[in-house]
Amino acid sequence: MTPQQIAHVHRALDGFAIELPSWGFANTGTRFGKFTQPAAAVTIGEKFSDAGQVHALTGACPTVALHVLWDLPEGGDAAGVHALARQHGVRPGSINPNLFQDQRYKFGSFGNPDAEVRALARRHVADSVAIATALESRDVSLWFADGSNYPGTANIRQRRAWFIEGLRDSHARLTPGQRLLVEYKPFEPAFYHTDIADWGMALLLARAAGPAARVLVDTGHHYQSQNIEQIVAWLLAEDMLGGFHFNDRKYADDDLTLGSIDPYQVFRIFHEIALFEHETGRQADVAFMIDQSHNLKGKIEAMIQTVTVAQELYAKAAIVDRQALLDAQTRCDLVGAETRLQDAFSTDVRPAIVAWRQAKGLPADPLAAFHRSGYVERITAERRHHAQSGSSYA
Ligand code: RM4
Ligand code: MN
Ligand code: MN
């Protein structure tokens, strides 16, 4: 790598913060079974502690996304939560209301035909915004399980109208500087229609909600072979990309570690962001968040792996010769343009990343350092008696 490429990598990594999901440290599973881990976190303090380990070793994860029902069921005392996070070297990040677990959401939340349930859901989002305000969190991320399983059972247009109402109401609760992120998912748990099935619906709903609403792209929430980087490019152009939920998938919402199936896809997404920044001279205002919960892998291990893979792919995207790429595109030099991407993707950026880590006083290999640290052994001993008791979903 040239000194200039190394500098690009270092600058990119300096600006690349990745939010960790609290639920990724807890016992979660599949809908068929759950293999509990004695080291799994149960309390919010344990989740901050585990996230703090990931941040201490990678230097890239200063915030932790919280799920209101799982982490702050009583609303939480903001000062206490802040203090706990600080104690572990992290901060509360995006706030995720839970609009899918309460029995009353059996037939939906914002789209429920029962006005009382819709009101309940709106109240929960309003409470979640208040929590976000108290915790100084910028983003409130909304994911809905709403939808239907059988043709004819739901009034799709009516539900769309209820969603607009609900989202407007939620948006009106935001305080200045906060954002509402609208996530989409094509299926599961609803299998005939979901109320926010794709990025187009999320975009229209975010626009209807108000000026501080943006779209959240969960990389696992697409049909097979969908061109996610094109969606990203369009949302950037529309100034409507709010953030990501990182994970990988082979079939559906598999929650696999980022880049484990298709690292080139992740690279292409990062490239679209870097190209946008190159052409506009603006930094994309995008929240990078992980949404993975591992049933089989060690949870902290998997999180460190995800962060290091994300950094590697982000660094590769940072060294694309973008001017040469744009020139080749203009000349319709197809092989030339494609080669610019492939060259960057196949460059071994790891030495440059190690140098960046060393300059920051971080371990050269965060995963190896984690294995050496004895942290898992310690928490396994400490938590083994209560770890079975806490599990969030599935
Ligand atoms: C959903 C979606 C949401 C996440 C829940 C747990 O599939 O990805 O973002 O909060 O799972
Ligand atoms: Mn998600
Ligand atoms: Mn998901």
Side-chain angles (χ1 to χ4, degrees):
M1 287 175 70
T2 65
Q4 206 194 1
Q5 285 178 317
I6 295 172
H8 282 318
V9 166
H10 290 187
R11 204 169 322 121
L13 294 181
D14 281 342
F16 190 40
I18 306 169
E19 184 162 300
L20 300 169
S22 71
W23 55 98
F25 300 105
N27 272 322
T28 52
T30 70
R31 78 201 151 89
F32 300 103
K34 204 179 295 184
F35 300 102
T36 53
Q37 299 184 15
V42 175
T43 64
I44 187 169
E46 290 172 349
K47 293 171 188 173
F48 282 143
S49 171
D50 294 356
Q53 287 297 307
V54 179
H55 183 45
L57 295 169
T58 62
C61 306
T63 59
V64 183
L66 300 174
H67 236 290
V68 173
L69 180 69
W70 305 332
D71 298 320
L72 308 156
E74 318 296 336
D77 96 276
V81 173
H82 262 304
L84 211 47
R86 203 173 319 115
Q87 189 188 323
H88 296 291
V90 288
R91 292 192 315 273
S94 65
I95 298 300
N96 296 250
N98 188 307
L99 297 157
F100 49 91
Q101 252 181 327
D102 192 299
Q103 290 298 311
R104 286 167 291 187
Y105 296 140
K106 182 172 179 182
F107 299 116
S109 60
F110 276 20
N112 196 303
D114 183 339
E116 268 177 42
V117 181
R118 294 201 301 279
L120 173 81
R122 288 210 293 263
R123 246 187 339 267
H124 178 62
V125 176
D127 292 346
S128 302
V129 174
I131 290 172
T133 307
L135 293 178
E136 294 161 43
S137 294
R138 184 187 187 203
D139 292 329
V140 175
S141 297
L142 297 180
W143 173 70
F144 297 90
D146 287 55
S148 67
N149 280 345
Y150 298 99
T153 58
N155 184 335
I156 294 173
R157 266 183 307 106
Q158 172 64 77
R159 289 171 72 102
R160 171 186 166 278
W162 284 330
F163 261 82
I164 291 174
E165 259 173 39
L167 289 169
R168 280 198 178 134
D169 180 77
S170 306
H171 189 282
R173 316 280 170 158
L174 297 177
T175 50
Q178 284 184 325
R179 306 188 304 174
L180 200 65
L181 303 184
V182 181
E183 187 172 350
Y184 57 91
K185 185 172 182 180
F187 62 88
E188 195 200 27
F191 288 117
Y192 166 63
H193 104 281
T194 59
D195 283 293
I196 314 181
D198 65 21
W199 72 279
M201 298 180 203
L203 171 66
L204 291 171
L205 288 173
R207 285 240 163 92
R214 296 285 182 281
V215 176
L216 190 154
V217 176
D218 183 314
T219 45
H221 291 190
H222 300 89
Y223 289 118
Q224 297 279 21
S225 85
Q226 196 161 356
N227 188 331
I228 304 175
E229 66 267 27
Q230 183 181 14
I231 295 172
V232 168
W234 274 67
L235 289 174
L236 283 167
E238 294 286 335
D239 191 21
M240 287 302 283
L241 180 64
F244 289 95
H245 272 177
F246 286 153
N247 52 60
D248 210 342
R249 54 77 59 94
K250 174 80 177 133
Y251 297 103
D253 188 23
D254 302 337
D255 269 0
L256 302 181
T257 37
L258 185 77
S260 56
I261 302 294
D262 188 356
Y264 195 40
Q265 161 86 81
V266 182
F267 164 83
R268 295 192 307 263
I269 291 173
F270 289 154
H271 163 65
E272 284 303 331
I273 297 171
L275 186 61
F276 168 86
E277 294 185 338
H278 172 84
E279 288 187 301
T280 61
R282 280 197 288 134
Q283 218 198 317
D285 186 9
V286 175
F288 297 108
M289 304 176 269
I290 296 172
D291 184 5
Q292 293 171 186
S293 35
H294 296 281
N295 195 23
L296 303 178
K297 279 182 175 174
K299 292 161 197 299
I300 305 171
E301 234 187 338
M303 225 43 98
I304 295 172
Q305 190 188 24
T306 303
V307 174
T308 56
V309 166
Q311 287 179 317
E312 204 176 316
L313 295 166
Y314 199 72
K316 285 173 188 276
I319 58 164
V320 171
D321 186 340
R322 284 178 285 273
Q323 207 44 58
L325 175 86
L326 293 170
D327 293 345
Q329 286 177 351
T330 308
R331 289 194 311 275
C332 294
D333 172 4
L334 309 186
V335 172
E338 189 187 12
T339 303
R340 298 279 75 77
L341 283 192
Q342 289 171 333
D343 274 353
F345 184 64
S346 55
T347 301
D348 186 1
V349 293
R350 288 174 300 180
I353 298 178
V354 167
W356 177 82
R357 290 193 180 123
Q358 278 162 345
K360 306 251 172 253
L362 296 164
D365 181 343
L367 202 51
F370 177 66
H371 290 147
R372 277 195 311 270
S373 72
Y375 181 80
V376 172
E377 292 74 7
R378 181 163 68 74
I379 59 171
T380 302
E382 281 170 11
R383 299 176 187 173
R384 61 169 359 111
H385 298 300
H386 80 154
Q388 316 291 330
S389 65
S391 67
S392 349
Y393 71 102

